[in-house]
Amino acid sequence: MKTTNVADRVTAAALDLFATQGYATTSVQQIVEAAGVTKGAMYHYFQSKDDLLFAVYDRMLALQKSHLDEIVAAGGPAEEVVRAVCVDVVETSIDFLPEGTVFFRSMHMLTEPRLKEVTRRRREYHDEFAALLRRGQDEGVFRADVPRSVLVAHFFSDVHYLSHWYSPQGPETKTEVAQQLTDLFLRSIRTTAP
């Protein structure tokens, strides 16, 4: 489908340019030249460079939220559900490592409405994650002596730091890293050893 291809090419070109030369120093002209499209074609899908930065991150956010909803809907004991969610968020963050890196480096440059939208959606995800932790606390499997907001921050700080050290060409696969980070997190919040 050609129309989707134009939007995908523009997004891919923007991602590459934002990663190599920074969001602030990348022009719309450079993006359309790299994508091999006209400005009119780009503006048909994206109103601004701000829209492109949002689009770079939006795909990952939407996918992770969809996976969260599916995992929660499947049910199971709290620890198993939290494990599945943690593994998924690490794996998808690695799959979208360039997008996450660009976004976290540049998100402060989003317009206020876009920044509020990202913040709202991330908060929604974190709130659902916190609800899973609360369920585990209610089931007696997760410790309750540390505020849930600290537990959420503890896990997601590892996720947000991936771009600083993880390399797909490194010795660990994304699945190994996801399992290892999840195991470390769950061990730290369990009330007792398994």
Side-chain angles (χ1 to χ4, degrees):
M1 179 182 238
K2 189 143 178 84
T3 55
T4 302
N5 192 23
V6 170
D8 290 345
R9 285 180 17 219
V10 170
T11 304
L15 174 62
D16 182 56
L17 289 167
F18 295 164
T20 57
Q21 62 189 39
Y23 173 79
T25 57
T26 299
S27 70
V28 169
Q29 185 61 39
Q30 289 171 314
I31 294 168
V32 297
E33 286 175 6
V37 301
T38 64
K39 281 186 180 178
M42 187 202 95
Y43 285 124
H44 180 76
Y45 297 97
F46 306 99
Q47 293 180 7
S48 64
K49 195 168 79 165
D50 184 67
D51 279 355
L52 277 167
L53 180 58
F54 181 80
V56 160
Y57 192 56
D58 180 59
R59 215 170 90 208
M60 180 174 71
L61 271 178
L63 181 67
Q64 287 177 335
K65 178 65 169 79
S66 170
H67 288 182
L68 173 68
D69 292 343
E70 290 170 12
I71 292 166
V72 170
E79 185 170 348
E80 289 178 20
V81 175
V82 170
R83 174 177 292 285
V85 169
C86 290
V87 167
D88 175 72
V89 81
V90 173
E91 288 185 341
T92 55
S93 293
I94 288 172
D95 288 341
F96 287 84
L97 202 58
E99 290 87 344
T101 302
V102 164
F103 185 79
F104 286 114
R105 193 182 329 149
S106 308
M107 70 183 275
H108 66 282
M109 294 184 228
L110 282 172
T111 59
E112 187 65 26
R114 286 292 196 196
L115 187 57
K116 283 183 177 178
E117 175 62 12
V118 167
T119 301
R120 181 192 67 75
R121 289 172 62 190
R122 289 182 68 208
R123 170 63 41 216
E124 180 181 303
Y125 190 101
H126 287 190
D127 288 348
E128 289 187 46
F129 188 76
L132 292 172
L133 297 178
R134 182 178 55 244
R135 195 174 122 211
Q137 289 170 331
D138 293 345
E139 291 176 11
V141 294
F142 297 152
R143 55 193 291 185
D145 61 323
V146 177
R148 276 187 299 278
S149 61
V150 173
L151 298 178
V152 171
H154 168 50
F155 177 71
F156 284 99
S157 65
D158 284 344
V159 173
H160 296 157
Y161 198 66
L162 282 167
S163 66
H164 295 276
W165 66 270
Y166 180 77
S167 170
Q169 291 77 39
E172 296 92 8
T173 67
K174 74 176 182 182
T175 301
E176 290 170 330
V177 169
Q179 293 292 342
Q180 291 163 351
L181 289 176
T182 298
D183 286 343
L184 286 169
F185 175 65
L186 288 174
R187 281 187 203 133
S188 72
I189 69 169
R190 269 193 209 108
T191 53
T192 57

